[in-house]
């Protein structure tokens, strides 16, 4: 346990343990099974979002191409489950599903915050209250983990945020620069989209991108990490773009698709 913030991400290991019936030997298989099901579900949801907007369901494959979406499957990480619940929560307007996404990985909490504010500004008090209550429940869980779980490092929600400031742009000047560029482009595009597109996924995507851009060197010097941290922004941009059909959204998705294909080629040939 390198850091207590890992314990906040309880949903994925908890589901794996439950699916294994508490049998330790089965947990490696259930970890893989959950992520396979989660990625399949994510593609299905993205296809459904495209069909709702009058587009072909084949567009639903586009977010899967990005390395930040599929690479966690190879490493038994929590992002596939988080992205599934994040997409489901945004599409259904469900605070409960978004809370589940935060229990898979806390970065999804920005969607609870933006949805609470968006509904409040629109006068939808009940929806705003549900999202605010879900956010409060997550903060209570995070506080409990911080206070009760013992480990070598103790961090609150900030973890390595802004350590140092501008870490993604510093990474562009280093050896990892070309590889990190698509992740930075995705985050910057998601951050700018609310200037023109102001739906729920667009605002959530901008907040998610801002969080990713604030991550520190521990994220932006690790290819697996900076792809993963930007994947949520890309999925949220996709959910907004299928309806808005804006050029900036398409550029963000194209950057993700191209980077994903190149990464996949490297993985296959290495």
């Amino acid at each position: 346990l390198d850091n207590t913030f890992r314990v906040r991400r309880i949903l994925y290991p908890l589901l794996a343990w439950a699916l294994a019936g508490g049998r330790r030997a089965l947990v490696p298989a259930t970890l893989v099974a959950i992520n396979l099901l989660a990625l399949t579900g994510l593609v299905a949801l993205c296809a459904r979002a495209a069909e709702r907007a009058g587009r072909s369901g084949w567009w639903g494959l586009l977010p899967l191409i990005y390395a930040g979406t599929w690479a966690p499957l190879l490493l038994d990480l929590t992002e596939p489950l988080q992205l599934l619940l994040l997409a489901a929560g945004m599409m259904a307007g469900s605070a409960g599903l978004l809370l589940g996404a935060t229990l898979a990985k806390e970065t999804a909490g920005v969607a609870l915050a933006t949805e609470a504010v968006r509904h409040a500004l629109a006068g939808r008090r009940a929806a705003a209250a549900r999202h605010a209550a879900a956010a409060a429940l997550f903060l209570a869980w995070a506080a409990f983990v911080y206070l009760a779980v013992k480990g070598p490092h103790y961090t609150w929600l900030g973890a390595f945020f802004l350590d140092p400031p501008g870490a993604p742009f510093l990474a562009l000047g280093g050896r990892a620069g070309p590889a990190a560029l698509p992740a930075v482009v995705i985050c910057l595009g998601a951050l700018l989209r609310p200037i023109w597109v102001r739906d729920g996924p667009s605002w959530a995507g901008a907040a998610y991108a801002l969080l990713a851009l604030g991550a520190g060197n521990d994220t932006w010097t690790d290819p697996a990490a900076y792809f993963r941290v930007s994947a949520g922004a890309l999925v949220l941009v996709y959910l907004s773009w299928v309806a808005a059909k804006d050029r900036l959204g398409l550029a963000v998705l194209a950057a993700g698709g191209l980077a994903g294909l190149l990464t996949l080629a490297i993985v296959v040939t290495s």
Side-chain angles (χ1 to χ4, degrees):
L1 182 62
D2 64 334
N3 200 298
T4 53
F5 74 77
R6 308 286 183 195
V7 184
R8 290 201 301 263
R9 305 168 184 178
I10 191 63
L11 188 60
Y12 180 39
L14 188 63
L15 286 178
W17 187 255
L19 190 61
R23 288 169 287 183
R24 185 180 298 272
L26 295 180
V27 170
T30 57
L31 287 169
V32 174
I34 289 168
N35 274 355
L36 282 171
L37 290 171
L39 289 178
T40 302
L42 177 64
V43 170
L45 285 176
C46 289
R48 180 59 179 155
E51 290 170 349
R52 282 183 180 178
R55 291 176 174 267
S56 169
W58 289 104
W59 283 106
L61 290 171
L62 187 54
L64 182 64
I65 299 173
Y66 186 52
T69 307
W70 57 260
L73 173 66
L74 307 179
L75 303 170
D76 293 330
L77 298 173
T78 193
E79 279 81 6
L81 184 60
Q82 181 215 27
L83 295 176
L84 171 66
L85 293 171
L86 179 63
M90 293 303 299
M91 289 177 64
S94 170
L97 288 171
L98 291 178
L99 176 60
T102 66
L103 295 178
K105 189 174 182 181
E106 62 280 346
T107 48
V110 296
L112 281 173
T114 57
E115 285 294 273
V117 172
R118 188 173 69 89
H119 286 302
L121 292 176
R124 296 186 289 268
R125 296 181 181 178
R130 287 195 299 271
H131 286 83
L137 284 173
F138 167 68
L139 290 174
W141 164 247
F144 171 79
V145 170
Y146 178 72
L147 294 172
V149 178
K150 304 304 179 184
H153 299 286
Y154 301 86
T155 55
W156 179 232
L157 286 176
F160 303 107
F161 191 71
L162 295 178
D163 182 21
F169 304 103
L170 295 174
L172 292 179
R175 290 186 302 171
L181 182 59
V184 173
V185 169
I186 287 168
C187 290
L188 290 176
L191 189 60
L192 291 173
R193 282 189 76 248
I195 297 174
W196 299 279
V197 181
R198 298 184 178 91
D199 55 20
S202 178
W203 285 115
Y208 204 110
L210 187 62
L211 192 65
L213 290 172
N217 274 339
D218 66 308
T219 294
W220 287 96
T221 56
D222 178 358
Y226 58 67
F227 282 139
R228 287 158 43 216
V229 79
S230 54
L234 182 129
V235 168
L236 290 164
V237 166
Y238 171 85
L239 294 178
S240 173
W241 169 79
V242 289
K245 302 179 177 66
D246 60 298
R247 292 181 180 179
L248 180 55
L250 181 59
V252 168
L253 295 170
L258 179 59
L261 291 174
L262 292 173
T263 307
L264 184 61
I266 293 171
V267 170
V268 170
T269 57
S270 63

